Amino acid sequence: MRALEGKSVILTGAGGGIGRPTALMLAAAGARVAISDIHEANLAETLAQVKQAGGEAIAVCADVTREDDIRELVRATVAAFGGLDVLVNNCGNSFAKDRDILSMEADLWDATMALNARAPMLCCKHGIPELLKRGGGAIVNITSGAALSGQLGIPAYSAAKAAVISLTRSVATLYGAQGIRCNAIAPGLILHDRLAAVFPTEQIRIDAENILSPRPGTPADIANAVIFLASDAASFVNAHVMPVDGGLLAHTPTYAQTRALGSAGPNISKDKER
Ligand SMILES: NC(=O)c1ccc[n+]([C@@H]2O[C@H](COP(=O)([O-])OP(=O)(O)OC[C@H]3O[C@@H](n4cnc5c(N)ncnc54)[C@H](O)[C@@H]3O)[C@@H](O)[C@H]2O)c1
């Protein structure tokens, strides 16, 4: 039995680096997937790949900053698949001018909030009534490790992703008793092709020195977590924020430097016998 056999799923940001492999893996897990993105050509390519792999999908081009588009996305999904079981709020991004507070343009802050925080809220607003008609369902929000720790840069994005964590807990608290589970995934650096092309090589090296798992994160790592949280295997997991970051945020801040010393860390015990 596949984990999401017959489930009706909405996935936003499905033309992107994490979104496309997630669409493919959701379909391979048996889901009927309504994929959505603002980028028509990338969305069409994802649809083609899902269908070529034998998956069931429809594509709805939508701008998630527009409530009418989200309303239409939910309507089209229900029309195609007869209802909605799972909502994956994957769409999100930071903007190049999101550098620091002193140069922050109020419009940039608002645009970042609209894309990263308001959009998943609106998807919940229009998706939850359909989940409730089925007696409940699952929502998976993609937040970011940037929401869980201070960053040198991207302050608007970090704040918006922190709002997604709060949204996740609010939705789970408000609708959990009616059968809705709402969880979040906080990815670390997930180096797909589009991101690898623009991400500074030196920063990739520094990140690699600070993650505990000895490899970079992949889109499949996120897709696997999405499928788990969306499935009945996670039926008692609610309002949880799951880092998928190779342990980046789990260790002492001096991990990389201490490891470079070739030491397991200082032992400050005064008891020399044991
Ligand atoms: N890649 C990483 O390292 C990483 C790390 C932490 C969190 N995340 C989060 O994971 C999610 C996916 O990231 P990604 O790396 O695949 O990004 P990506 O840029 O590759 O994909 C994002 C997709 O969203 C679409 N999009 C942008 N604006 C839109 C709008 N207004 N309406 C509809 N679609 C729109 C884009 O066309 C694109 O296809 C995002 O929420 C991101 O913040 C990614």
Side-chain angles (χ1 to χ4, degrees):
M1 178 75 175
R2 295 184 294 176
L4 298 175
E5 193 69 58
K7 300 282 188 195
S8 167
V9 178
I10 286 177
L11 171 68
T12 66
I18 292 175
R20 181 171 296 157
T22 301
L24 282 157
M25 288 174 66
L26 284 167
R32 308 158 89 194
V33 197
I35 56 171
S36 184
D37 204 286
I38 198 172
H39 195 298
E40 218 168 339
N42 286 348
L43 181 63
E45 176 59 27
T46 301
L47 183 67
Q49 289 191 21
V50 171
K51 291 202 160 166
Q52 195 179 13
E56 187 175 350
I58 61 163
V60 182
C61 196
D63 178 348
V64 293
T65 65
R66 294 168 51 93
E67 186 165 9
D68 284 350
D69 285 19
I70 291 172
R71 193 181 285 112
E72 174 56 21
L73 169 60
V74 173
R75 190 207 61 75
T77 306
V78 172
F81 301 144
L84 180 67
D85 301 299
V86 175
L87 166 63
V88 183
N89 283 313
N90 166 66
C91 182
N93 224 333
S94 59
F95 297 113
K97 286 165 89 179
D98 183 14
R99 307 294 307 175
D100 59 42
I101 299 300
L102 298 186
S103 67
M104 180 64 66
E105 295 167 11
D107 286 350
L108 182 82
W109 181 274
D110 292 347
T112 307
M113 287 290 163
L115 176 62
N116 291 283
R118 196 183 68 180
M121 179 278 294
L122 289 173
C123 288
C124 288
K125 174 183 169 183
H126 293 284
I128 286 170
E130 296 301 332
L131 298 179
L132 291 176
K133 285 181 195 166
R134 306 273 255 205
I139 300 172
V140 183
N141 294 325
I142 308 299
T143 175
S144 169
L148 300 172
S149 61
Q151 303 292 313
L152 286 167
I154 53 170
Y157 174 80
S158 303
K161 288 298 195 180
V164 172
I165 292 175
S166 183
L167 172 73
T168 299
R169 293 180 178 138
S170 291
V171 167
T173 305
L174 285 162
Y175 304 103
Q178 292 164 269
I180 291 184
R181 296 183 300 104
C182 185
N183 293 290
I185 294 169
L189 179 59
I190 305 297
L191 264 190
H192 49 75
D193 292 349
R194 195 195 62 81
L195 193 59
V198 296
F199 213 77
T201 319
E202 182 63 1
Q203 187 61 50
I204 293 170
R205 185 191 62 75
I206 292 169
D207 270 51
E209 281 178 4
N210 280 283
I211 63 169
L212 305 181
S213 300
R215 66 169 178 83
T218 68
D221 293 322
I222 305 305
N224 278 322
V226 168
I227 290 167
F228 168 66
L229 289 173
S231 75
D232 291 344
S235 62
F236 204 51
V237 182
N238 208 348
H240 184 61
V241 181
M242 178 192 282
V244 179
D245 64 356
L248 177 69
L249 298 180
H251 58 71
T252 173
T254 54
Y255 165 77
Q257 293 94 323
T258 304
R259 199 161 168 265
L261 292 175
S263 145
N267 183 337
I268 56 169
S269 172
K270 294 189 190 66
D271 185 344
K272 301 297 176 204
E273 301 302 314
R274 290 179 293 167

